[in-house]
């Protein structure tokens, strides 16, 4: 009997205790979209739904060793990075990714928080540009992250997104506000095309982990062999349904997750994924 292959997405990301962002959200999204998730941890966050209390960065040698232990033995169809909290860690991760040129890579440059405050050093931002972006299949900054990377406000989306693609990667810029609508823009480096994905804004504070879940969904569809634009289309469908469903739930006293944590619930699962 011929053995089946798994659609493996290997994560290099941080952990947070709420289960709504970071590695925990990544694993849920990947599993829900039909992939197999594995992870090398980069750091551990202590937070509740109202504030981040402390962050512990793991040693770069340990992060690299975790990644090599999995990739060198099992391999992956796609690699996705999340929080990489220092320039040294970024350079270490880039060294790993260079050894797997055939594997698709989704780089989520987590460089600012939800209100636009810079989370990493300027050295880290330069390391993203100089070390990681040229290795990426796709980078997934939100609007604020794109502006930090560009060092100027978004003014002409087609020119700005292609500037971010100057490292040879495709780019999706997320969550550009247009009244009661939100738009994501995809630049496909292979075709040179820019495409807009527009959607109605959903009135909810349960948006923690949106970017993590979205980029992981795209990574899963890339791992399953979908072309880039189609993988993004399916990722958009996934995250929009997840946000809409998550809006129906209460979770703590602050922000909440984009989807409920009880993913095994058959009714919930069918409403999101079927």
């Amino acid at each position: 009997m011929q053995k089946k292959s798994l659609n493996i997405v290997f994560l290099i990301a941080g952990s947070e205790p709420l289960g709504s962002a970071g590695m925990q959200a990544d694993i849920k999204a990947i599993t829900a979209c039909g992939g197999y998730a594995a992870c090398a941890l980069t750091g551990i966050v202590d937070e509740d739904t109202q504030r981040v209390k402390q962050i512990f960065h793991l040693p770069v040698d340990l992060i690299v060793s975790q990644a090599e232990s999995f990739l060198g033995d099992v391999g992956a169809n796609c690699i996705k990075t999340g929080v990489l909290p220092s320039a040294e860690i970024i350079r270490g991760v880039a060294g790993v990714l260079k050894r797997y040129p055939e594997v698709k890579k989704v780089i989520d440059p987590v460089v600012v928080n939800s209100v636009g405050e810079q989370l990493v050093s300027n050295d880290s931002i330069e390391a993203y540009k100089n070390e990681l972006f040229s290795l990426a299949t796709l980078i997934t900054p939100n609007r604020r992250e794109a502006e930090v990377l560009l060092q100027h406000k978004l003014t002409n989306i087609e020119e700005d997104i292609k500037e971010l693609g100057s490292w040879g990667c495709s780019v999706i810029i997320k969550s550009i506000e247009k009244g009661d609508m939100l738009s994501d823009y995809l630049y496909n480096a292979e075709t040179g095309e820019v495409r807009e994905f527009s959607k109605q804004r959903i009135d909810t504070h349960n948006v923690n982990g949106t970017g993590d879940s979205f980029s992981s969904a795209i990574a899963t569809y890339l791992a399953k062999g979908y072309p880039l634009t189609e993988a993004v289309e399916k990722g958009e469908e996934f995250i929009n349904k997840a946000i809409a469903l998550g809006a129906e739930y209460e979770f703590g006293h602050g922000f909440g997750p984009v989807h409920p944590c009880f993913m095994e619930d058959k009714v919930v699962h069918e409403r999101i994924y079927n």
Side-chain angles (χ1 to χ4, degrees), residues 17 27 37-38 40 51 78-79 81 98 101 108 114 116 120-121 143 152-153 159 161 204 213 216 226 234 237 259 266:
I27 289 173
R51 66 187 178 97
C78 188
I79 300 169
T81 68
K98 288 175 184 175
D108 188 5
S114 60
V120 298
S121 67
R143 175 180 61 82
H152 62 74
K153 296 290 186 182
E159 292 180 2
I161 199 169
T204 178
S213 299
S216 286
Y226 286 86
K234 295 187 76 65
E237 181 183 6
H259 53 72
K266 185 174 185 294

Side-chain angles (χ1 to χ4, degrees), residues 181-243:
M181 304 292 288
L182 289 174
S183 287
D184 301 335
Y185 288 87
L186 171 67
Y187 165 62
N188 188 320
E190 292 185 359
T191 65
E193 295 176 337
V194 176
R195 177 171 170 184
E196 179 181 5
F197 296 86
S198 184
K199 56 224 174 180
Q200 186 76 34
R201 185 197 301 270
I202 297 170
D203 183 18
T204 178
H205 65 275
N206 290 349
V207 293
N208 190 45
T210 306
D212 299 336
S213 299
F214 180 42
S215 56
S216 286
I218 296 171
T220 306
Y221 290 114
L222 288 173
K224 295 171 79 171
Y226 286 86
L228 176 64
T229 298
E230 192 172 348
V232 171
E233 288 173 350
K234 295 187 76 65
E236 290 278 359
E237 181 183 6
F238 164 81
I239 198 63
N240 294 340
K241 288 181 179 179
I243 293 172

Side-chain angles (χ1 to χ4, degrees), residues 35-89:
Y36 179 92
C39 185
L41 283 181
T42 61
I44 301 169
V45 177
D46 177 16
E47 66 179 11
D48 57 25
T49 62
Q50 300 174 81
R51 66 187 178 97
V52 175
K53 298 176 181 178
Q54 58 180 320
I55 302 173
F56 176 74
H57 301 168
L58 292 178
V60 64
D61 289 348
L62 177 59
I63 296 168
V64 168
S65 183
Q66 290 178 84
E68 286 290 7
S69 292
F70 186 87
L71 294 170
D73 180 13
V74 181
N77 302 102
C78 188
I79 300 169
K80 185 227 157 174
T81 68
V83 171
L84 305 176
S86 74
E88 183 184 15
I89 289 172

